[in-house]
Amino acid sequence: MTNVIKLKKGLDINLKGKPQEKMLTAAKSDYFVMVPDDFYGVVPKVVVKAGDKVLAGTPLMFDKNRPEIKFVSPVSGEVTAVERGERRKVLGITVKKDETNSFVEFGKKEVSKISAEDIKTLMLESGVWPFIKQRPYDVIADPRIAPRDIFVSAFDSAPLAPEFEFVAKNEQAAIQAGLDALKKLTKGKVYVGVRPGSAVKMQGVEVVTIEGPHPAGNAGVQAHNIKPVNKGETIWTLSAFDLVIIGRLFTKGVADFSRIVAVTGSEISTPAYVNACFGTCLKDLLSNNVVKADYAQRFISGNVLSGINTGLDGYLNFYHSQITVIPDGSDNDEFVGWALPGLAKYSTTRTYLTWLFGGKKEYTIDARLRGGKRALIVSGQFEKFFPMDIYPEFLYKATLAFDIDKMENLGIYEVAPEDFAVCEFVDVSKTEIQKVIRLGLDRLQKEMN
């Protein structure tokens, strides 16, 4: 019988622009960019140069600290540029796609007949390993450390998120192959968090039904409520959207990074889905699907709470299955600002009369802060929206001060920046909580290593 966990804390923001369950045809994209900043904690070493010919699955760079972790080209073609910034920091590796779209052949594998070490080597060589993250530190999993357990989230609870049921419609074989591979990489269990009523079949794993608002879909939140990680332990987490790509490595024998991406937001004419892979320019994926407006618009790879503001000329992040376009608000000069009452304004309190609509009304929200930055006051506000047995305000302040003892006692090893996204949204002090947690995790990892 499936376990059921009911989470009461969190927040579902009902935004306008939910994707319809249909596929659109995006404009053809000729250039794809590998962006090293997509991978926290990685020191990239580029192994190609302009003019090199590559196949889909050919390494473009590796991590200097862990050379076995490779990052590969999503398409076949020619490397046209290796862009560098200050101090020769690698900003991006651009590949011009050819017409053949040829793959490096790794060979189809029956997971039950190969060893755990062979599975790990194959995943590292093919470039799908970076999809697996670890707690603590929320970085790419260290292949040298066996995890206590592995947690897979089979749904996304973020605003306007894609529906995994739709994405996984024709990927059942890849999903099961991916799960079978993960089972061989741990002596513990593989837990899969699903929505109530999920129709996706998963065998040989512990299926846990998760009920509740966002961030219930975060793998770290699920892990905390199923079997928390303690100091000295390591767990792995990943999204089932990425599990599909891992599974294809065994069923197809190639590193196929194509995925179904949701194009969402109030500034999208027809919110729906497109086929894409990481590194695609947002301009190509959106083509003529953006509302023509005389005001500024914000183009986000990911969701509105934890996504990346890339601009229209930016690229789809390695981990994202969603693009969101909303009004930017930077050119909106509103009379008396947030204090002006209205029936179209969203609030988590009863500041506006919109609370009378419950959660049924769809809102168009721009990216303005709607208030000024001020000192953080410990008021217990975050605890109302944080579904983990952790004091988020105290952990944030301990991280800001980099008090390691307090950080450890308050649960720093269990969290990732995305777990604080709702807290950042409701924070009246307008503090960059996710950024502080990310910097704190990076510093802590360097200190501990």
Side-chain angles (χ1 to χ4, degrees):
M1 184 176 179
T2 303
N3 296 324
V4 179
I5 294 177
K6 298 181 180 181
L7 304 178
K8 295 182 179 180
K9 295 181 179 180
L11 179 66
D12 286 330
I13 307 172
N14 195 18
L15 297 182
K16 182 181 178 182
K18 291 181 176 65
Q20 306 170 34
E21 291 192 355
K22 68 177 184 178
M23 298 297 299
L24 302 178
T25 302
K28 179 183 177 182
S29 186
D30 293 324
Y31 294 90
F32 294 78
V33 181
M34 166 76 73
V35 181
D37 280 351
D38 287 353
F39 314 101
Y40 293 108
V42 168
V43 181
K45 173 65 177 178
V46 180
V47 295
V48 293
K49 60 183 183 299
D52 285 355
K53 302 292 184 180
V54 296
L55 301 177
T58 299
L60 300 179
M61 66 182 196
F62 62 84
D63 184 2
K64 283 185 180 179
N65 296 326
R66 295 175 293 179
E68 65 272 24
I69 299 180
K70 296 179 174 64
F71 304 87
V72 303
S73 174
V75 295
S76 63
E78 180 182 342
V79 177
T80 59
V82 178
E83 186 181 358
R84 295 182 181 270
E86 294 182 3
R87 300 183 180 179
R88 294 188 56 77
K89 176 184 176 181
V90 183
L91 302 179
I93 305 170
T94 305
V95 178
K96 183 178 181 181
K97 183 181 179 182
D98 59 23
E99 295 299 325
T100 63
N101 196 27
S102 303
F103 292 85
V104 175
E105 290 289 343
F106 296 100
K108 296 180 181 179
K109 307 290 183 182
E110 192 171 336
V111 177
S112 61
K113 296 182 178 179
I114 56 178
S115 67
E117 196 59 37
D118 289 339
I119 290 173
K120 187 183 297 184
T121 299
L122 181 59
M123 292 175 65
L124 288 165
E125 290 295 325
S126 64
V128 302
W129 186 268
F131 286 121
I132 303 176
K133 293 187 176 182
Q134 71 171 49
R135 298 287 194 282
Y137 311 126
D138 186 43
V139 294
I140 295 172
D142 190 334
R144 299 166 296 185
I145 302 175
R148 186 203 69 196
D149 298 292
I150 301 175
F151 296 84
V152 182
S153 176
F155 70 97
D156 191 342
S157 58
L160 307 178
E163 287 291 340
F164 183 66
E165 303 282 329
F166 178 79
V167 171
K169 193 180 300 181
N170 301 313
E171 300 286 359
Q172 189 64 52
I175 292 169
Q176 190 59 52
L179 291 173
D180 291 341
L182 293 178
K183 282 166 56 182
K184 285 201 167 187
L185 298 180
T186 177
K187 292 181 179 180
K189 294 182 178 181
V190 176
Y191 295 92
V192 182
V194 300
R195 285 188 188 277
S198 173
V200 180
K201 297 179 181 179
M202 302 179 187
Q203 299 176 346
V205 296
E206 292 285 329
V207 178
V208 182
T209 299
I210 309 291
E211 296 183 27
H214 185 64
N218 291 3
V221 171
Q222 295 176 11
H224 173 86
N225 287 279
I226 296 171
K227 191 177 180 182
V229 59
N230 300 310
K231 183 178 180 180
E233 296 179 334
T234 298
I235 62 170
W236 291 353
T237 64
L238 70 155
S239 165
F241 293 91
D242 302 329
L243 178 71
V244 169
I245 298 174
I246 294 174
R248 286 195 204 128
L249 175 64
F250 301 96
T251 59
K252 298 173 66 174
V254 297
D256 181 1
F257 289 93
S258 62
R259 66 167 78 218
I260 295 177
V261 176
V263 178
T264 68
S266 59
E267 297 302 295
I268 296 296
S269 301
T270 306
Y273 294 84
V274 296
N275 279 309
C277 68
F278 77 88
T280 308
C281 184
L282 266 58
K283 183 183 292 185
D284 295 328
L285 293 178
L286 298 174
S287 53
N288 297 317
N289 200 13
V290 180
V291 174
K292 294 182 179 179
D294 56 359
Y295 49 82
Q297 295 168 314
R298 178 162 296 199
F299 298 86
I300 302 168
S301 175
N303 63 71
V304 292
L305 295 178
S306 57
I308 301 170
N309 177 19
T310 65
L312 185 57
D313 294 322
Y315 304 97
L316 181 66
N317 185 280
F318 183 82
Y319 298 98
H320 291 164
S321 296
Q322 177 182 359
I323 298 169
T324 313
V325 186
I326 61 173
D328 186 78
S330 58
D331 55 352
N332 190 339
D333 188 15
E334 184 180 10
F335 177 67
V336 302
W338 63 268
L340 186 69
L343 292 177
K345 293 188 174 183
Y346 180 84
S347 176
T348 57
T349 64
R350 296 189 175 186
T351 303
Y352 308 115
L353 292 177
T354 46
W355 67 270
L356 293 170
F357 299 118
K360 297 180 181 180
K361 181 179 175 62
E362 291 186 341
Y363 295 89
T364 298
I365 303 178
D366 58 37
R368 286 176 292 168
L369 290 179
R370 293 184 175 272
K373 293 183 179 181
R374 59 185 70 87
L376 178 69
I377 300 173
V378 179
S379 61
Q381 179 189 29
F382 296 169
E383 278 81 354
K384 300 176 183 177
F385 302 95
F386 197 74
M388 302 171 76
D389 190 19
I390 288 173
Y391 294 108
E393 291 177 344
F394 289 101
L395 177 55
Y396 166 75
K397 294 181 78 172
T399 305
L400 194 62
F402 197 61
D403 187 327
I404 295 178
D405 288 338
K406 285 186 178 180
M407 290 165 67
E408 289 181 342
N409 292 333
L410 290 167
I412 190 65
Y413 294 121
E414 294 190 62
V415 301
E418 65 179 3
D419 300 331
F420 291 82
V422 173
C423 295
E424 187 173 280
F425 176 74
V426 302
D427 181 22
V428 295
S429 299
K430 313 302 177 185
T431 49
E432 295 181 296
I433 303 173
Q434 294 183 80
K435 182 178 179 180
V436 170
I437 297 297
R438 178 72 267 165
L439 293 174
L441 289 170
D442 292 344
R443 287 185 65 189
L444 185 61
Q445 185 179 22
K446 290 179 181 178
E447 187 77 19
M448 294 303 177
N449 293 341

